[in-house]
Amino acid sequence: MAKSYQAPRGTQDILPPVSDRWHHLESTFRKVCERYGYQEVRTPVFEESGLFARGIGDATDIVSKEMYVFEDRGGRSMALRPEGTAGIVRAFVEHKLAGEKSAWKVFYFMSIFRYERPQAGRYRQAHQVGVECFGPTGPDADAEVIALNMAWYRELGIRGHELRLNSLGCPVCRPSHRQALSEALSEVRGDLCPTCQGRMETNPLRVFDCKSAECQALVASAPSTVDYLCAECQSHFARLRDLLEAMELPYELAPRLVRGLDYYTRTAWEVKYSGLGAQDALCGGGRYDGLVEELGGPATPGIGFAAGIERALYALEQGGIEIPGRSARGTLVIGLDEESRRRALLLAESIRGHGLRAETDYFDRGLKAQMKQADRLGARWAVILGEDELKTGRAVVRDLESGDQSEVPIDDVPGWLDRA
Ligand code: HAM
């Protein structure tokens, strides 16, 4: 036998009927986004690797350890996108979409690629839904994006998740926090893991994000960003919190939440779901007011979030939440001999022409086997054509739910099914 292949480690095939569940998550997200006035955007799966290094940050794990980087045949350094925001900002800048007092609001479904150690809820090719909103600076935009995020989970029926919120400050207040943090960390430097010792030089805030329990314990009492916010960041955060409370969106303050990407300013949030185990983040997002400028565009604030589809599915499964099955149950058109099979094929085609689902059997099977097949397909109707039916010009239409049978002129079957 020839060599067979397996999907690469950390990737998965999404096969029917599981793909129906994906479709449900995505179509619910699309519906929610449209309600908030967002439109779909699609950007390339790969970009110049410099875009991510610059946008997400050289010192982040995502860029320094997890990116799929390759040289293309023209000798350019490219990377499979490890997240969506940088590419969307690139498109926003490239197409000159910035405008005064205008908001560009987009949503997306995308695969992302991170060379991480695969485990439950963590893939090398993962899938996200997300939104980005460019233009507004005020906290009302933050509140609206968080509301959209939570509306999706609500609409899906997911419960038991927790919104964790922080403010990371801005270029005005960051330096004083950074200094205080560096001073505090330098006292425990020798006890930090080697990676965090390096992070102290590049971006000490990253130490908060370390997975090691020792580092977590050491930073538990380190100065947090909220204690160093400038007056503007303070009032932005206070107003956001007020809006969330008014919208009855419960949250928990998480002063040590820093996120794994360097572009965030002010608002940052994650939604945790405890049933997910180590990979407990259902989604994450925040404001990135400096990113458009960093990537060569005119100073334009932005905010957004992305949510893992695999993790949302897991939360649905954990919550025992039923996903609506396929609603169009359709018809199996059964032909019992060669000529009837030919007519069955044509009849199925004209039933489809009425916008209805119809299938035929491909395997020259007898009536009994085809009726079983109708059952397997979950068909609602079986239309039977044999020698007698062709002679009289009338098909037998069987209602597979009630068992009732009717004789219907063959040419009228599509209209009859449409009315049924
Ligand atoms: P992120 O926190 O890196 O943010 O990813 C968002 C979500 O994607 C995570 O909470 C998780 O649910 C899912 N995810 C990420 N990596 C994996 C993986 N390897 N396997 C399974 N699921 C994964 C971002 O990507 C930002 N671009 C979000 C954003 C948009 N911020 C502003 N706008």
Side-chain angles (χ1 to χ4, degrees):
M1 275 231 269
K3 171 183 160 54
S4 66
Y5 294 89
Q6 264 124 39
R9 196 163 126 77
T11 69
Q12 54 173 344
D13 300 310
I14 316 301
L15 308 174
V18 174
S19 49
D20 281 346
R21 303 167 76 79
W22 282 62
H23 183 254
H24 173 65
L25 290 194
E26 291 167 356
S27 61
T28 308
F29 189 69
R30 181 185 294 278
K31 215 164 51 190
V32 170
C33 287
E34 283 170 356
R35 252 180 242 160
Y36 284 80
Y38 282 71
Q39 291 176 293
E40 188 173 351
V41 68
R42 299 184 193 204
T43 60
V45 167
F46 63 93
E47 301 265 2
E48 270 182 62
S49 50
L51 169 71
F52 301 116
R54 186 87 169 277
I56 301 169
D58 280 324
T60 58
D61 283 357
I62 294 179
V63 171
S64 63
K65 299 187 191 158
E66 297 166 3
M67 213 151 65
Y68 278 89
V69 184
F70 62 98
E71 195 174 287
D72 74 7
R73 288 173 187 272
R76 287 167 288 254
S77 176
M78 295 290 173
L80 296 182
R81 62 182 172 213
E83 59 104 51
T85 313
I88 294 171
V89 171
R90 195 261 315 131
F92 178 79
V93 173
E94 182 173 339
H95 300 283
K96 302 189 171 50
L97 297 169
E100 218 179 308
K101 292 211 188 302
S102 73
W104 193 60
K105 306 197 298 187
V106 289
F107 71 88
Y108 50 89
F109 308 101
M110 63 167 67
S111 41
I112 58 159
F113 305 85
R114 297 183 189 178
Y115 194 81
E116 298 187 88
R117 198 164 48 78
Q119 54 176 257
R122 193 161 76 187
Y123 300 90
R124 289 185 173 165
Q125 175 174 346
H127 299 81
Q128 293 183 336
V129 299
V131 309
E132 309 296 346
C133 171
F134 296 85
T137 332
D140 33 352
D142 306 38
E144 198 179 85
V145 172
I146 293 174
L148 185 165
N149 184 177
M150 302 310 283
W152 183 52
Y153 292 129
R154 193 169 54 243
E155 199 95 343
L156 290 173
I158 292 176
R159 265 185 265 279
H161 49 293
E162 193 178 82
L163 169 62
R164 302 177 70 243
L165 183 71
N166 195 15
S167 176
L168 301 174
C170 70
V172 174
C173 45
R174 279 252 180 98
S176 54
H177 172 257
R178 187 179 166 130
Q179 192 181 345
L181 181 61
S182 294
E183 279 164 19
L185 291 178
S186 58
E187 283 169 29
V188 292
R189 187 185 188 113
D191 300 325
L192 291 171
C193 73
T195 316
C196 281
Q197 293 188 14
R199 285 172 172 147
M200 278 187 61
E201 311 306 326
T202 49
N203 182 357
L205 210 57
R206 292 254 69 78
V207 178
F208 282 135
D209 212 22
C210 183
K211 302 286 177 289
S212 125
E214 290 80 47
C215 293
Q216 282 291 319
L218 289 168
V219 297
S221 56
S224 61
T225 50
V226 273
D227 295 329
Y228 287 80
L229 297 182
C230 62
E232 275 191 37
C233 286
Q234 261 178 33
S235 80
H236 189 278
F237 197 42
R239 171 101 177 135
L240 169 61
R241 294 178 57 184
D242 171 60
L243 287 168
L244 292 178
E245 278 150 35
M247 291 163 119
E248 296 182 25
L249 293 172
Y251 64 87
E252 191 186 302
L253 276 186
R256 262 153 256 290
L257 173 73
V258 292
R259 312 267 303 116
L261 310 101
D262 278 351
Y263 49 61
Y264 292 112
T265 53
R266 293 190 169 160
T267 313
W269 74 94
E270 271 182 7
V271 175
K272 299 264 170 196
Y273 184 82
S274 54
L276 285 172
Q279 304 304 315
D280 62 354
L282 274 183
C283 70
R287 188 166 265 291
Y288 44 86
D289 289 347
L291 186 57
V292 175
E293 214 175 352
E294 179 69 31
L295 295 175
T300 310
I303 180 167
F305 75 88
I309 298 185
E310 291 86 350
R311 293 187 193 178
L313 263 176
Y314 185 79
L316 281 183
E317 277 157 24
Q318 289 285 299
I321 298 159
E322 286 286 325
I323 288 183
R326 288 214 268 173
S327 53
R329 289 181 49 202
T331 302
L332 182 71
V333 189
I334 297 174
L336 297 177
D337 53 61
E338 202 181 330
E339 181 53 21
S340 316
R341 274 194 287 275
R342 183 174 173 277
R343 287 298 297 271
L345 190 83
L346 299 177
L347 181 55
E349 197 57 15
S350 80
I351 294 171
R352 294 170 192 138
H354 275 67
L356 303 171
R357 178 174 154 198
E359 290 179 71
T360 54
D361 183 61
Y362 305 110
F363 303 102
D364 295 354
R365 286 186 279 214
L367 179 61
K368 214 164 140 200
Q370 293 204 47
M371 289 304 284
K372 264 199 198 140
Q373 175 64 5
D375 201 40
R376 267 196 297 270
L377 290 173
R380 169 71 204 276
W381 307 98
V383 174
I384 304 160
L385 295 177
E387 210 177 320
D388 290 349
E389 285 73 19
L390 293 198
K391 235 182 253 158
T392 59
R394 298 172 80 80
V396 173
V397 180
R398 187 181 293 181
D399 181 337
L400 298 173
E401 222 164 69
S402 66
D404 294 347
Q405 270 190 191
S406 324
E407 277 190 18
V408 180
I410 297 174
D411 291 341
D412 294 350
V413 168
W416 191 95
L417 289 172
D418 201 11
R419 287 187 299 275

